[in-house]
Amino acid sequence: MCMLIEEIKGRQVLDSRGNPTVEATVTLSDGTVQSAIVPSGASTGAFEAVELRDNDDVYFGKSVYKAVKNINEILAHHLVGTSPYQQRLIDRMMCDLDGTENKKNLGANAILAVSIAVAKASASSLNLPLYRYLGGFNAHRLPCPMMNILNGGAHSDNNVDIQEFMIMPVGADSFRDGLRQCTEIYHTLKTLLKKDKLSTAVGDEGGFAPNLSGDEEALEYILKAIEEAGYNTENTKLALDIASSEWYAEGMYNLPKRKISMTTENMIEYLDNLTEKYPIISIEDGLSEFDWSGWEELTGKLSHIQLVGDDLFVTNVNKLYNGIKVGAGNSILVKMNQIGTLTETFDAIELAHKAGYTTVISHRSGESEDTTIADIAVACNSGQIKTGAPCRSERTAKYNRLSRIEEELTGVSTYGIE
Ligand SMILES: C=C(OP(=O)(O)O)C(=O)O
Ligand SMILES: [Mg+2]
């Protein structure tokens, strides 16, 4: 029997911030039904594909009924009756139907929901786990968590400017051990903050968001938590997401909370000093998406650590290609909804790996119960995943999915950064 897409249905659901987002459900001719929910960012890059929202609707966070309508009336109309196994063709058809570079007509949220739901339905109809369908027999590497445990910037209301302070259990032997290590450090950090009468309320990704004197105090707290939890700076390294595009205006970096301004040179020096003083192995968006010459300089100076482009590359092969050409960064953050289809996401990952860039598969600050990124991390043997703290269900859903995948791959899995 020839398998066909029988029905595609879009609907509005809520994300972890309580804002509307898009879900698509795909039904195949054998009765297989699978759904996918797209996430949503807060510190979004200027060049991300367009998340279509209804500006005329008063729903807080703005509704996505137009995107849903585009699924139900346009995408469904063209894709019903086609083979679900032709993922690249389906994704290309959706891009062509949209007809713009940034998917502003149909919405990257509408297109991505369908793209993922088609892949999930295909995997399910073949009785394959999603990572196996996407990655084939060679999918075997469980990612090292890049776990955000302390928040600042646009993700919290405290007075810390850096957006994410993360831990990486690089010395663990397995995903299970790495996750346990991170979780123990997270709970220890909570105890330390409580003891000092600091807030243990959490930000959007589950990291704590206490009021501190600044970035260095945040790093000191984390180092203390690592030690008190029984680990050390050999087996646990630090990673930062500066999210500095948020600070950039007219060639200067203006830190909104501490109210100081820095030039590109000041910023590079600041980051360099932090890496000298602390066991930091990865810095994301250390400079703005508009500061390409600065990125070249930063990469020249700090090439011994991982320099991840999030806003800089927006999971876009053209942007990444430019980065590779001029030597900007050495790693890419991969967020499917920055580009809008599975095919384009995999193209970006493939180009990165070919060029010797590392990849970090990432959630968004507005997430859901959808666990696709866990499967993608394993499918492409990325070795790193950024999916928040272990205390909010939309984040633990991804960790729990990875735990199950590791169990399925007993005896053949590998772990972490090569
Ligand atoms: C996950 C991030 O946040 P957001 O989803 O808000 O862009 C990030 O900046 O890496
Ligand atoms: Mg980022």
Short mmCIF file of all heavy atoms in Angstrom, two decimals, residues 98-162:
data_model
loop_
_atom_site.label_atom_id
_atom_site.label_comp_id
_atom_site.label_asym_id
_atom_site.label_seq_id
_atom_site.Cartn_x
_atom_site.Cartn_y
_atom_site.Cartn_z
N ASP A 98 4.92 29.51 0.40
CA ASP A 98 5.09 30.77 1.13
C ASP A 98 5.67 31.85 0.20
O ASP A 98 5.18 32.98 0.16
CB ASP A 98 6.01 30.57 2.33
CG ASP A 98 6.32 31.88 3.01
OD1 ASP A 98 5.51 32.30 3.83
OD2 ASP A 98 7.35 32.50 2.67
N GLY A 99 6.73 31.47 -0.52
CA GLY A 99 7.28 32.34 -1.55
C GLY A 99 8.16 33.48 -1.06
O GLY A 99 8.55 34.33 -1.85
N THR A 100 8.49 33.54 0.23
CA THR A 100 9.38 34.61 0.71
C THR A 100 10.61 33.99 1.37
O THR A 100 10.61 32.82 1.75
CB THR A 100 8.67 35.49 1.76
OG1 THR A 100 8.38 34.69 2.93
CG2 THR A 100 7.38 36.09 1.24
N GLU A 101 11.64 34.82 1.53
CA GLU A 101 12.89 34.38 2.18
C GLU A 101 12.65 34.02 3.64
O GLU A 101 13.26 33.10 4.17
CB GLU A 101 13.90 35.54 2.15
CG GLU A 101 14.67 35.68 0.87
CD GLU A 101 15.78 34.65 0.78
OE1 GLU A 101 16.62 34.60 1.69
OE2 GLU A 101 15.79 33.89 -0.23
N ASN A 102 11.79 34.83 4.30
CA ASN A 102 11.65 34.67 5.76
C ASN A 102 10.31 34.07 6.19
O ASN A 102 9.95 34.13 7.35
CB ASN A 102 11.89 36.01 6.47
CG ASN A 102 10.90 37.06 6.01
OD1 ASN A 102 10.00 36.77 5.22
ND2 ASN A 102 11.04 38.27 6.51
N LYS A 103 9.62 33.48 5.27
CA LYS A 103 8.34 32.78 5.54
C LYS A 103 7.29 33.69 6.16
O LYS A 103 6.49 33.28 6.99
CB LYS A 103 8.60 31.56 6.43
CG LYS A 103 9.60 30.59 5.80
CD LYS A 103 9.81 29.33 6.58
CE LYS A 103 10.75 28.36 5.87
NZ LYS A 103 12.12 28.82 5.68
N LYS A 104 7.29 34.93 5.70
CA LYS A 104 6.36 35.89 6.32
C LYS A 104 4.92 35.74 5.82
O LYS A 104 4.00 36.21 6.46
CB LYS A 104 6.84 37.33 6.13
CG LYS A 104 6.77 37.83 4.71
CD LYS A 104 7.12 39.30 4.67
CE LYS A 104 6.96 39.79 3.24
NZ LYS A 104 7.99 40.67 2.79
N ASN A 105 4.71 35.06 4.70
CA ASN A 105 3.33 34.90 4.20
C ASN A 105 2.54 33.87 4.99
O ASN A 105 1.46 34.15 5.50
CB ASN A 105 3.33 34.53 2.72
CG ASN A 105 3.61 35.75 1.86
OD1 ASN A 105 3.40 36.88 2.31
ND2 ASN A 105 4.08 35.54 0.65
N LEU A 106 3.10 32.67 5.07
CA LEU A 106 2.37 31.60 5.77
C LEU A 106 2.76 31.52 7.24
O LEU A 106 2.00 31.00 8.06
CB LEU A 106 2.62 30.26 5.08
CG LEU A 106 2.17 30.19 3.61
CD1 LEU A 106 2.48 28.82 3.03
CD2 LEU A 106 0.67 30.49 3.49
N GLY A 107 3.97 31.99 7.57
CA GLY A 107 4.45 31.94 8.95
C GLY A 107 5.34 30.73 9.17
O GLY A 107 4.95 29.60 8.85
N ALA A 108 6.54 30.97 9.72
CA ALA A 108 7.45 29.86 10.02
C ALA A 108 6.83 28.95 11.08
O ALA A 108 7.11 27.74 11.12
CB ALA A 108 8.80 30.39 10.50
N ASN A 109 5.97 29.52 11.93
CA ASN A 109 5.32 28.69 12.96
C ASN A 109 4.36 27.69 12.32
O ASN A 109 4.29 26.53 12.73
CB ASN A 109 4.63 29.54 14.04
CG ASN A 109 3.89 30.75 13.49
OD1 ASN A 109 3.89 31.00 12.29
ND2 ASN A 109 3.25 31.49 14.39
N ALA A 110 3.63 28.13 11.28
CA ALA A 110 2.71 27.22 10.59
C ALA A 110 3.50 26.14 9.85
O ALA A 110 3.22 24.93 9.97
CB ALA A 110 1.85 28.01 9.59
N ILE A 111 4.51 26.56 9.11
CA ILE A 111 5.28 25.63 8.27
C ILE A 111 6.03 24.61 9.12
O ILE A 111 6.03 23.40 8.84
CB ILE A 111 6.24 26.44 7.35
CG1 ILE A 111 5.41 27.23 6.33
CG2 ILE A 111 7.24 25.53 6.66
CD1 ILE A 111 6.22 28.21 5.49
N LEU A 112 6.68 25.09 10.20
CA LEU A 112 7.48 24.18 11.02
C LEU A 112 6.60 23.14 11.73
O LEU A 112 6.98 21.97 11.83
CB LEU A 112 8.31 24.96 12.05
CG LEU A 112 9.20 24.09 12.93
CD1 LEU A 112 10.25 23.36 12.09
CD2 LEU A 112 9.88 24.92 14.02
N ALA A 113 5.44 23.56 12.21
CA ALA A 113 4.56 22.61 12.90
C ALA A 113 4.22 21.45 11.96
O ALA A 113 4.28 20.28 12.36
CB ALA A 113 3.28 23.32 13.36
N VAL A 114 3.94 21.76 10.70
CA VAL A 114 3.61 20.71 9.73
C VAL A 114 4.85 19.88 9.40
O VAL A 114 4.80 18.64 9.35
CB VAL A 114 3.00 21.33 8.44
CG1 VAL A 114 2.80 20.26 7.37
CG2 VAL A 114 1.68 22.02 8.76
N SER A 115 5.97 20.56 9.22
CA SER A 115 7.22 19.87 8.88
C SER A 115 7.55 18.80 9.93
O SER A 115 7.84 17.64 9.60
CB SER A 115 8.35 20.91 8.77
OG SER A 115 9.57 20.30 8.46
N ILE A 116 7.47 19.18 11.20
CA ILE A 116 7.81 18.22 12.27
C ILE A 116 6.74 17.13 12.39
O ILE A 116 7.06 15.95 12.55
CB ILE A 116 7.97 18.93 13.63
CG1 ILE A 116 9.07 20.00 13.57
CG2 ILE A 116 8.32 17.92 14.72
CD1 ILE A 116 9.12 20.87 14.82
N ALA A 117 5.47 17.53 12.30
CA ALA A 117 4.40 16.53 12.45
C ALA A 117 4.48 15.48 11.34
O ALA A 117 4.22 14.30 11.58
CB ALA A 117 3.04 17.23 12.46
N VAL A 118 4.85 15.90 10.13
CA VAL A 118 5.00 14.94 9.03
C VAL A 118 6.12 13.94 9.35
O VAL A 118 5.96 12.72 9.17
CB VAL A 118 5.30 15.68 7.69
CG1 VAL A 118 5.82 14.72 6.63
CG2 VAL A 118 4.06 16.40 7.19
N ALA A 119 7.25 14.44 9.87
CA ALA A 119 8.37 13.56 10.20
C ALA A 119 7.98 12.59 11.32
O ALA A 119 8.30 11.39 11.27
CB ALA A 119 9.59 14.38 10.61
N LYS A 120 7.28 13.11 12.32
CA LYS A 120 6.87 12.24 13.44
C LYS A 120 5.90 11.15 12.96
O LYS A 120 6.00 10.00 13.38
CB LYS A 120 6.16 13.08 14.51
CG LYS A 120 7.09 13.86 15.42
CD LYS A 120 6.21 14.52 16.48
CE LYS A 120 7.00 15.14 17.59
NZ LYS A 120 6.11 15.73 18.60
N ALA A 121 4.97 11.54 12.10
CA ALA A 121 4.01 10.57 11.59
C ALA A 121 4.73 9.52 10.74
O ALA A 121 4.44 8.32 10.84
CB ALA A 121 2.92 11.28 10.78
N SER A 122 5.68 9.96 9.93
CA SER A 122 6.44 9.02 9.09
C SER A 122 7.17 8.01 9.96
O SER A 122 7.11 6.80 9.71
CB SER A 122 7.46 9.79 8.23
OG SER A 122 6.79 10.67 7.37
N ALA A 123 7.87 8.52 10.99
CA ALA A 123 8.63 7.64 11.89
C ALA A 123 7.69 6.63 12.54
O ALA A 123 7.96 5.43 12.55
CB ALA A 123 9.34 8.47 12.96
N SER A 124 6.58 7.14 13.03
CA SER A 124 5.63 6.29 13.73
C SER A 124 5.05 5.21 12.81
O SER A 124 4.91 4.05 13.20
CB SER A 124 4.53 7.19 14.31
OG SER A 124 3.55 6.44 14.90
N SER A 125 4.75 5.58 11.56
CA SER A 125 4.17 4.60 10.63
C SER A 125 5.16 3.50 10.29
O SER A 125 4.77 2.40 9.89
CB SER A 125 3.72 5.31 9.34
OG SER A 125 4.85 5.69 8.59
N LEU A 126 6.45 3.79 10.44
CA LEU A 126 7.49 2.78 10.15
C LEU A 126 7.94 2.06 11.42
O LEU A 126 8.92 1.31 11.40
CB LEU A 126 8.70 3.47 9.49
CG LEU A 126 8.46 4.08 8.10
CD1 LEU A 126 9.60 4.99 7.69
CD2 LEU A 126 8.24 2.99 7.06
N ASN A 127 7.25 2.38 12.53
CA ASN A 127 7.62 1.82 13.84
C ASN A 127 9.05 2.14 14.23
O ASN A 127 9.76 1.32 14.81
CB ASN A 127 7.43 0.29 13.86
CG ASN A 127 5.98 -0.04 14.01
OD1 ASN A 127 5.26 0.62 14.79
ND2 ASN A 127 5.52 -1.04 13.27
N LEU A 128 9.50 3.33 13.87
CA LEU A 128 10.85 3.76 14.23
C LEU A 128 10.78 4.90 15.23
O LEU A 128 9.91 5.77 15.10
CB LEU A 128 11.60 4.26 12.99
CG LEU A 128 12.04 3.24 11.95
CD1 LEU A 128 12.61 3.95 10.73
CD2 LEU A 128 13.08 2.29 12.55
N PRO A 129 11.71 4.95 16.21
CA PRO A 129 11.78 6.15 17.03
C PRO A 129 12.20 7.33 16.15
O PRO A 129 12.90 7.13 15.14
CB PRO A 129 12.87 5.83 18.06
CG PRO A 129 13.38 4.48 17.75
CD PRO A 129 12.71 3.95 16.53
N LEU A 130 11.79 8.54 16.53
CA LEU A 130 12.06 9.70 15.66
C LEU A 130 13.56 9.87 15.38
O LEU A 130 13.96 10.14 14.24
CB LEU A 130 11.48 10.97 16.30
CG LEU A 130 11.57 12.24 15.46
CD1 LEU A 130 10.87 12.11 14.11
CD2 LEU A 130 11.00 13.44 16.24
N TYR A 131 14.40 9.68 16.40
CA TYR A 131 15.85 9.88 16.18
C TYR A 131 16.38 8.89 15.14
O TYR A 131 17.29 9.21 14.37
CB TYR A 131 16.64 9.78 17.51
CG TYR A 131 16.64 8.41 18.13
CD1 TYR A 131 17.57 7.43 17.77
CD2 TYR A 131 15.69 8.06 19.08
CE1 TYR A 131 17.56 6.17 18.33
CE2 TYR A 131 15.66 6.80 19.66
CZ TYR A 131 16.61 5.85 19.27
OH TYR A 131 16.57 4.61 19.83
N ARG A 132 15.81 7.68 15.13
CA ARG A 132 16.28 6.66 14.19
C ARG A 132 15.81 6.99 12.77
O ARG A 132 16.57 6.87 11.81
CB ARG A 132 15.72 5.29 14.64
CG ARG A 132 16.13 4.10 13.82
CD ARG A 132 17.62 3.77 13.90
NE ARG A 132 18.07 3.34 15.20
CZ ARG A 132 19.23 3.72 15.75
NH1 ARG A 132 20.05 4.53 15.12
NH2 ARG A 132 19.58 3.31 16.95
N TYR A 133 14.57 7.47 12.66
CA TYR A 133 14.04 7.86 11.34
C TYR A 133 14.85 9.03 10.78
O TYR A 133 15.23 9.04 9.61
CB TYR A 133 12.56 8.26 11.47
CG TYR A 133 11.96 8.80 10.19
CD1 TYR A 133 11.70 7.96 9.11
CD2 TYR A 133 11.68 10.16 10.05
CE1 TYR A 133 11.16 8.46 7.92
CE2 TYR A 133 11.15 10.67 8.87
CZ TYR A 133 10.90 9.81 7.81
OH TYR A 133 10.37 10.31 6.64
N LEU A 134 15.15 10.00 11.65
CA LEU A 134 15.86 11.20 11.18
C LEU A 134 17.34 10.94 10.96
O LEU A 134 17.95 11.53 10.07
CB LEU A 134 15.71 12.34 12.19
CG LEU A 134 14.30 12.90 12.41
CD1 LEU A 134 14.30 13.91 13.55
CD2 LEU A 134 13.78 13.56 11.13
N GLY A 135 17.94 10.07 11.79
CA GLY A 135 19.40 9.93 11.75
C GLY A 135 19.89 8.62 11.17
O GLY A 135 21.09 8.46 10.94
N GLY A 136 18.99 7.66 10.96
CA GLY A 136 19.42 6.36 10.44
C GLY A 136 20.17 5.56 11.49
O GLY A 136 20.19 5.92 12.66
N PHE A 137 20.85 4.49 11.04
CA PHE A 137 21.48 3.58 12.01
C PHE A 137 22.62 4.24 12.78
O PHE A 137 23.00 3.81 13.85
CB PHE A 137 22.00 2.32 11.28
CG PHE A 137 23.31 2.55 10.58
CD1 PHE A 137 24.51 2.30 11.23
CD2 PHE A 137 23.35 3.05 9.28
CE1 PHE A 137 25.73 2.53 10.60
CE2 PHE A 137 24.55 3.29 8.64
CZ PHE A 137 25.75 3.03 9.30
N ASN A 138 23.15 5.33 12.22
CA ASN A 138 24.33 5.94 12.86
C ASN A 138 24.00 6.89 14.01
O ASN A 138 24.89 7.45 14.63
CB ASN A 138 25.15 6.67 11.79
CG ASN A 138 26.56 6.94 12.29
OD1 ASN A 138 27.14 6.11 12.98
ND2 ASN A 138 27.09 8.11 11.99
N ALA A 139 22.72 7.09 14.31
CA ALA A 139 22.35 7.98 15.43
C ALA A 139 22.67 7.26 16.74
O ALA A 139 22.04 6.26 17.07
CB ALA A 139 20.87 8.30 15.35
N HIS A 140 23.67 7.76 17.48
CA HIS A 140 24.10 7.02 18.68
C HIS A 140 24.58 7.91 19.81
O HIS A 140 24.78 7.44 20.92
CB HIS A 140 25.22 6.05 18.31
CG HIS A 140 26.45 6.75 17.80
ND1 HIS A 140 27.43 7.22 18.63
CD2 HIS A 140 26.82 7.10 16.54
CE1 HIS A 140 28.36 7.80 17.90
NE2 HIS A 140 28.01 7.77 16.63
N ARG A 141 24.79 9.21 19.53
CA ARG A 141 25.45 10.05 20.55
C ARG A 141 24.44 10.81 21.40
O ARG A 141 23.67 11.61 20.89
CB ARG A 141 26.41 11.03 19.87
CG ARG A 141 27.24 11.87 20.84
CD ARG A 141 28.36 12.59 20.16
NE ARG A 141 29.39 11.66 19.72
CZ ARG A 141 30.36 11.18 20.51
NH1 ARG A 141 30.45 11.58 21.75
NH2 ARG A 141 31.24 10.33 20.02
N LEU A 142 24.48 10.56 22.70
CA LEU A 142 23.63 11.31 23.63
C LEU A 142 24.33 12.63 23.94
O LEU A 142 25.53 12.66 24.16
CB LEU A 142 23.42 10.51 24.92
CG LEU A 142 22.23 9.54 24.99
CD1 LEU A 142 20.91 10.33 24.97
CD2 LEU A 142 22.24 8.53 23.87
N PRO A 143 23.58 13.73 23.97
CA PRO A 143 24.22 15.03 24.14
C PRO A 143 24.59 15.35 25.59
O PRO A 143 23.91 14.94 26.52
CB PRO A 143 23.14 16.00 23.67
CG PRO A 143 21.86 15.31 23.99
CD PRO A 143 22.12 13.84 23.77
N CYS A 144 25.68 16.10 25.74
CA CYS A 144 26.04 16.68 27.04
C CYS A 144 25.10 17.85 27.28
O CYS A 144 24.98 18.73 26.43
CB CYS A 144 27.49 17.18 26.97
SG CYS A 144 28.02 18.05 28.47
N PRO A 145 24.40 17.90 28.41
CA PRO A 145 23.55 19.06 28.65
C PRO A 145 24.38 20.34 28.82
O PRO A 145 25.45 20.31 29.42
CB PRO A 145 22.85 18.72 29.98
CG PRO A 145 23.01 17.26 30.17
CD PRO A 145 24.29 16.89 29.48
N MET A 146 23.85 21.41 28.23
CA MET A 146 24.39 22.75 28.50
C MET A 146 23.25 23.38 29.30
O MET A 146 22.32 23.94 28.72
CB MET A 146 24.64 23.47 27.16
CG MET A 146 25.26 24.82 27.28
SD MET A 146 25.37 25.61 25.64
CE MET A 146 27.01 25.14 25.14
N MET A 147 23.30 23.16 30.63
CA MET A 147 22.11 23.41 31.43
C MET A 147 22.11 24.78 32.12
O MET A 147 22.96 25.08 32.95
CB MET A 147 21.94 22.31 32.48
CG MET A 147 20.67 22.48 33.29
SD MET A 147 20.52 21.28 34.61
CE MET A 147 19.93 19.84 33.76
N ASN A 148 21.10 25.54 31.77
CA ASN A 148 20.92 26.88 32.32
C ASN A 148 20.41 26.77 33.76
O ASN A 148 19.31 26.28 33.99
CB ASN A 148 19.90 27.59 31.43
CG ASN A 148 19.53 28.96 31.92
OD1 ASN A 148 20.06 29.45 32.91
ND2 ASN A 148 18.61 29.60 31.22
N ILE A 149 21.23 27.22 34.74
CA ILE A 149 20.75 27.12 36.13
C ILE A 149 20.59 28.50 36.78
O ILE A 149 20.05 28.61 37.86
CB ILE A 149 21.66 26.22 37.00
CG1 ILE A 149 23.11 26.71 37.03
CG2 ILE A 149 21.61 24.78 36.49
CD1 ILE A 149 23.97 25.95 38.05
N LEU A 150 21.09 29.53 36.12
CA LEU A 150 20.92 30.89 36.66
C LEU A 150 20.62 31.85 35.51
O LEU A 150 21.32 31.83 34.49
CB LEU A 150 22.19 31.29 37.42
CG LEU A 150 22.01 32.34 38.51
CD1 LEU A 150 23.04 32.16 39.63
CD2 LEU A 150 22.10 33.75 37.97
N ASN A 151 19.58 32.60 35.64
CA ASN A 151 19.07 33.46 34.55
C ASN A 151 19.23 34.94 34.83
O ASN A 151 19.09 35.38 35.97
CB ASN A 151 17.55 33.27 34.39
CG ASN A 151 17.17 32.04 33.62
OD1 ASN A 151 16.00 31.81 33.39
ND2 ASN A 151 18.14 31.27 33.20
N GLY A 152 19.46 35.68 33.75
CA GLY A 152 19.40 37.15 33.82
C GLY A 152 18.80 37.63 32.52
O GLY A 152 18.03 36.92 31.87
N GLY A 153 19.18 38.83 32.12
CA GLY A 153 18.77 39.37 30.82
C GLY A 153 17.28 39.38 30.60
O GLY A 153 16.48 39.56 31.53
N ALA A 154 16.90 39.13 29.35
CA ALA A 154 15.48 39.21 28.96
C ALA A 154 14.64 38.07 29.52
O ALA A 154 13.42 38.08 29.40
CB ALA A 154 15.37 39.20 27.43
N HIS A 155 15.29 37.08 30.13
CA HIS A 155 14.54 35.93 30.64
C HIS A 155 14.14 36.07 32.10
O HIS A 155 13.61 35.13 32.69
CB HIS A 155 15.35 34.65 30.46
CG HIS A 155 15.44 34.21 29.02
ND1 HIS A 155 16.15 33.12 28.61
CD2 HIS A 155 14.90 34.75 27.90
CE1 HIS A 155 16.05 32.99 27.30
NE2 HIS A 155 15.30 33.98 26.84
N SER A 156 14.47 37.19 32.73
CA SER A 156 14.13 37.33 34.15
C SER A 156 14.02 38.80 34.52
O SER A 156 14.43 39.68 33.76
CB SER A 156 15.21 36.67 35.00
OG SER A 156 16.39 37.42 34.87
N ASP A 157 13.47 39.03 35.70
CA ASP A 157 13.27 40.41 36.14
C ASP A 157 14.31 40.83 37.18
O ASP A 157 14.09 41.77 37.94
CB ASP A 157 11.86 40.56 36.76
CG ASP A 157 10.79 40.28 35.73
OD1 ASP A 157 11.00 40.65 34.56
OD2 ASP A 157 9.77 39.67 36.08
N ASN A 158 15.43 40.12 37.27
CA ASN A 158 16.43 40.48 38.28
C ASN A 158 17.40 41.52 37.72
O ASN A 158 17.17 42.11 36.65
CB ASN A 158 17.16 39.22 38.77
CG ASN A 158 17.98 38.58 37.65
OD1 ASN A 158 18.00 39.07 36.52
ND2 ASN A 158 18.66 37.51 37.96
N ASN A 159 18.54 41.76 38.42
CA ASN A 159 19.47 42.79 37.95
C ASN A 159 20.76 42.23 37.37
O ASN A 159 21.82 42.85 37.45
CB ASN A 159 19.77 43.77 39.10
CG ASN A 159 20.29 43.04 40.32
OD1 ASN A 159 20.43 41.82 40.29
ND2 ASN A 159 20.56 43.76 41.39
N VAL A 160 20.68 41.03 36.78
CA VAL A 160 21.86 40.41 36.13
C VAL A 160 21.70 40.57 34.61
O VAL A 160 20.63 40.26 34.07
CB VAL A 160 21.95 38.91 36.52
CG1 VAL A 160 23.07 38.22 35.78
CG2 VAL A 160 22.13 38.76 38.04
N ASP A 161 22.77 41.04 33.95
CA ASP A 161 22.65 41.33 32.51
C ASP A 161 22.85 40.12 31.60
O ASP A 161 22.20 40.02 30.56
CB ASP A 161 23.65 42.42 32.12
CG ASP A 161 23.15 43.79 32.56
OD1 ASP A 161 22.08 44.19 32.09
OD2 ASP A 161 23.81 44.44 33.38
N ILE A 162 23.77 39.22 31.97
CA ILE A 162 23.99 38.04 31.12
C ILE A 162 22.75 37.15 31.20
O ILE A 162 22.22 36.90 32.28
CB ILE A 162 25.27 37.27 31.57
CG1 ILE A 162 26.51 38.13 31.24
CG2 ILE A 162 25.36 35.90 30.91
CD1 ILE A 162 27.85 37.49 31.60
#
